[in-house]
Amino acid sequence: MRPERLVDAVLFDTFGTVVDWRAGISQAVAEFSSAVDPNEFALAWRGRYQPSMAPVRSGEREFVDLDVLHRENLEATAAATGLPLDTADPSDVDWLNRAWHRLPAWPDSVPGLTELKRHFIIGPLSNGHTALLTNMAKHASLPWDVIIGSDITRAYKPDPNAYLRTAELLRLPPERVMLCAAHNTDLAAAQEAGLRTAFIPRPAEYGPSQRLDLQATGPWDVIAQDIVDLATQLREHVPS
């Protein structure tokens, strides 16, 4: 009996799932200044990420892309930690803010995505905007088929529209799209919107202090060790 294809598109959360934002941001901060601990600064900067999107999700603020939010969060984090932005060359500050465009991939990301690409449409389903995700793909050699940024969907996860509009743009029903993420809350929102789900752990995302998302906590369709393992498991559902 021929296997039934589980989905047509496998999309990915990017920050933390496909790329190592902590390593990339820490390196950029270290190159920018020695005035702060780069790892602590990276964690603090990232800590403002979700709260900064909340007013956009609630409708209190018009949609602005992540470059704007990252810059606001950078300035707030710098003020709180003593990172000298005011005396720095503005072009250097812009370079630091765009470090989110230049993040390194986890070791399994490119080989896993390359294998998945043989059988499925692959792309990011991220809060990043199209230019950011395109630059990231070039920097980290991510072999996406398609890039649909949040500036196209005009929605930030876990807003259901972030998932549903992406599926609509691919002309696929939600159940033919899978989200792979290292974050259980992202998967819960995707599942609620009707998407298939896959979990992979990234226990080093936040460093030694990480306590959340060390394992799957929901009834996801696939639980894999990494993206290579995900490709192996999904290949079993591809007709020969």
Side-chain angles (χ1 to χ4, degrees), residues 30 75 124 234:
E75 293 173 355
L234 288 182

Side-chain angles (χ1 to χ4, degrees), residues 2 11 69 148 172 183:
R2 297 178 63 189
L11 307 182
L69 297 180
I148 299 172
L172 291 172
H183 313 115

Side-chain angles (χ1 to χ4, degrees), residues 30-145:
E31 293 174 5
F32 179 82
S33 174
S34 61
V36 296
D37 179 285
N39 188 60
E40 291 301 320
F41 191 93
L43 292 171
W45 192 0
R46 179 66 174 180
R48 297 178 184 272
Y49 172 73
Q50 289 292 344
S52 70
M53 290 183 288
V56 177
R57 293 192 193 103
S58 69
E60 296 175 23
R61 182 178 187 179
E62 291 291 326
F63 182 88
V64 293
D65 68 37
L66 274 193
D67 281 351
V68 173
L69 297 180
H70 278 150
R71 181 58 180 260
E72 293 172 356
N73 295 341
L74 170 60
E75 293 173 355
T77 306
T81 61
L83 183 71
L85 293 186
D86 293 343
T87 57
D89 188 305
S91 64
D92 290 338
V93 179
D94 289 340
W95 173 87
L96 177 59
N97 192 54
R98 287 173 60 87
W100 297 95
H101 294 227
R102 306 185 302 271
L103 302 176
W106 295 107
D108 60 279
S109 292
V110 173
L113 292 174
T114 300
E115 177 59 27
L116 281 166
K117 185 183 175 76
R118 294 178 58 215
H119 305 290
F120 304 95
I121 298 166
I122 62 168
L125 203 172
S126 170
N127 288 328
H129 58 80
T130 303
L132 183 157
L133 294 170
T134 302
N135 292 335
M136 180 191 294
K138 280 294 187 183
H139 178 80
S141 300
L142 306 176
W144 301 132
D145 290 309

Side-chain angles (χ1 to χ4, degrees), residues 21-22 39 43 106 202-211 214:
W21 61 263
R22 185 171 61 91
N39 188 60
L43 292 171
W106 295 107
R202 294 299 189 195
E205 179 182 359
Y206 285 89
S209 63
Q210 181 165 327
R211 297 293 179 268
L214 297 177

Side-chain angles (χ1 to χ4, degrees), residues 177-206:
V177 177
M178 172 175 282
L179 174 68
C180 175
H183 313 115
N184 286 283
T185 55
D186 196 357
L187 294 177
Q191 187 178 72
E192 182 68 22
L195 275 65
R196 297 277 195 167
T197 53
F199 176 83
I200 60 170
R202 294 299 189 195
E205 179 182 359
Y206 285 89

